[in-house]
Amino acid sequence: MTYYRFFLLIIFLSISVKINAQQEVKTGNPILKEWYADPEIVIFDNTYWIFPTFSGIVKKQDFMDAFSSKDLVNWKKHENIVTPKNVAWINNELWAPSAIEKDGKYFVFFSANDIQTPDSHWWDPQKHDSTEVGGIGVAVSRKPQGPYTDHIGKPLIGKVLNKAQPIDQFVFKAKDGIYYIVYGGWGRCNIGKLNDDFTDLVPFEDGQLVKEITPENYVEGPLMFYREEKYYMMWSEGSWGKDSYKVAYGVADRPFGPFDRIATILESDPNIATGAGHNSVLHMPDTDDWYIVYHRRPIPNEHRNHRVVCIDKMEFNDDGTIKPIKMTFEGVGAVPLISNGKK
């Protein structure tokens, strides 16, 4: 009997060690080992997907890769899902993807060509003119990993409206069933309604294509999500190339706001990294578990474009406000997805 009990104890301890080892598996930060930024994270087909910007010099930033994972820890790279070969009007600076599935198709919205106007800080008459083609485009595929093709053959939003540069788009489906696009650089943010096949914007009742919803201190990188009957808007402040880059947020009853600024929730930490911003969020199905996926600048920083993609836990207070987010080197624990889309 003693030997039998000892044998059972050994088995129990062995199982416990294995369970604890599984629980201790962490993503680590960064979760993608190369230089990437502006990450969009989604769940497609019971798989995590990250669509980021390649963080290189402008002349080499004309393609997009994607990454897939079943557990947030192990990531597979899918190269060149969007390039000038399949979107002919792209000629430089391809960045800030937003991905969404609709009717069995996968759409990647992207910014390209960095168009300028005479009243912008970066306008250079030797480099720019008012006929430039660029702005926010749409690519489509039957598979999340692509390859993607140009959906409409031209930019979806190719003009500066309400003084907002057409960049940094985020697309989401609101509780009213309408698909909205939120976007904007140069310190201005617009929202528009997408038509059913994502080929154009649907004008509002007053005839406007977009409405301005710029919150206090907004610079770029907007996103929205819905939680407990409220719309949360997050955005980046400061300068993307400096330590001042950070994330703030506001809350409203509808996607048009107003989004009064509540607080900064993610910012530089001299013990971890600097320049944390341009984030997305991951909501685990059927739970109230949330994660923030963002880019930051490692210390020491090797280059203006030395940005890496990281993940950390995002938690809420009882009143619905978001707790300040602590950047970590450990990241978060593995969260496997199984066939029914649940943990």
Side-chain angles (χ1 to χ4, degrees):
M1 181 65 69
T2 301
Y3 176 81
Y4 179 71
R5 290 178 177 176
F6 178 75
F7 179 74
L8 290 179
L9 178 61
I10 293 299
I11 293 176
F12 173 79
L13 291 175
S14 177
I15 293 173
S16 297
V17 169
K18 289 182 179 179
I19 292 175
N20 289 333
Q22 290 176 349
Q23 291 175 339
E24 291 171 358
V25 173
K26 296 280 189 176
T27 60
N29 275 327
I31 54 176
L32 307 181
K33 305 310 177 186
E34 301 173 70
W35 294 9
Y36 289 95
D38 313 331
E40 163 87 323
I41 188 165
V42 292
I43 297 176
F44 290 151
D45 301 337
N46 303 310
T47 302
Y48 301 107
W49 289 86
I50 290 181
F51 296 83
T53 299
F54 171 69
S55 192
I57 62 174
V58 172
K59 291 182 179 180
K60 294 184 178 181
Q61 193 178 309
D62 63 351
F63 67 91
M64 280 183 175
D65 298 327
F67 295 82
S68 61
S69 173
K70 286 290 187 180
D71 59 5
L72 292 179
V73 175
N74 302 288
W75 293 91
K76 179 181 179 181
K77 184 177 180 179
H78 307 269
E79 296 183 328
N80 298 320
I81 65 164
V82 179
T83 73
K85 291 181 179 180
N86 44 31
V87 182
W89 57 268
I90 295 173
N91 55 56
N92 68 77
E93 293 195 71
L94 177 62
W95 78 101
S98 177
I100 195 166
E101 183 273 336
K102 184 177 187 293
D103 299 332
K105 297 180 181 179
Y106 301 90
F107 297 86
V108 170
F109 293 73
F110 57 87
S111 306
N113 299 357
D114 196 25
I115 61 172
Q116 304 291 322
T117 59
D119 57 349
S120 74
H121 177 75
W122 295 272
W123 173 263
D124 181 347
Q126 302 299 317
K127 298 180 180 179
H128 306 289
D129 64 67
S130 59
T131 64
E132 288 179 317
V133 175
I136 296 171
V138 192
V140 63
S141 175
R142 286 289 183 179
K143 299 182 292 185
Q145 66 270 32
Y148 286 78
T149 58
D150 194 349
H151 187 45
I152 57 179
K154 62 181 181 179
L156 173 73
I157 304 175
K159 295 182 179 180
V160 174
L161 304 172
N162 300 330
K163 297 184 178 181
Q165 188 188 28
I167 65 168
D168 287 8
Q169 64 294 319
F170 178 76
V171 176
F172 71 104
K173 184 180 181 180
K175 295 299 290 184
D176 58 11
I178 295 174
Y179 288 84
Y180 291 94
I181 183 168
V182 185
Y183 74 93
W186 299 346
R188 299 294 184 96
C189 184
N190 290 333
I191 187 170
K193 294 191 293 184
L194 290 163
N195 66 1
D196 189 59
D197 60 2
F198 293 168
T199 58
D200 209 344
L201 297 179
V202 178
F204 291 99
E205 293 181 358
D206 60 5
Q208 294 184 79
L209 281 178
V210 296
K211 291 183 179 293
E212 184 175 357
I213 56 168
T214 308
E216 178 187 3
N217 291 352
Y218 173 91
V219 172
E220 60 192 17
L223 72 85
M224 283 192 193
F225 63 89
Y226 189 78
R227 179 184 182 269
E228 296 186 355
E229 309 301 320
K230 296 289 185 180
Y231 287 93
Y232 289 72
M233 179 176 175
M234 304 174 80
W235 61 89
S236 294
E237 302 177 351
S239 173
W240 74 267
K242 299 180 180 179
D243 294 354
S244 61
Y245 212 47
K246 57 189 176 183
V247 175
Y249 81 104
V251 181
D253 294 324
R254 59 193 193 125
F256 305 103
F259 290 94
D260 294 330
R261 187 184 189 280
I262 293 177
T264 298
I265 54 169
L266 180 67
E267 58 188 333
S268 293
D269 180 343
N271 296 312
I272 303 290
T274 64
H278 203 129
N279 68 291
S280 60
V281 297
L282 171 64
H283 177 214
M284 297 306 305
D286 303 318
T287 75
D288 195 33
D289 294 337
W290 296 78
Y291 300 86
I292 185 168
V293 179
Y294 60 98
H295 74 243
R296 69 192 192 196
R297 298 181 176 280
I299 301 173
N301 197 252
E302 299 178 23
H303 190 275
R304 184 170 181 259
N305 292 309
H306 187 191
R307 298 174 293 175
V308 294
V309 172
C310 300
I311 184 170
D312 281 301
K313 188 75 173 176
M314 187 171 79
E315 298 178 313
F316 296 81
N317 296 304
D318 292 340
D319 63 359
T321 55
I322 303 174
K323 296 180 180 180
I325 294 162
K326 172 66 176 175
M327 289 192 290
T328 68
F329 292 118
E330 296 79 17
V332 301
V335 187
L337 290 172
I338 56 177
S339 59
N340 63 1
K342 300 179 182 179
K343 291 190 293 182

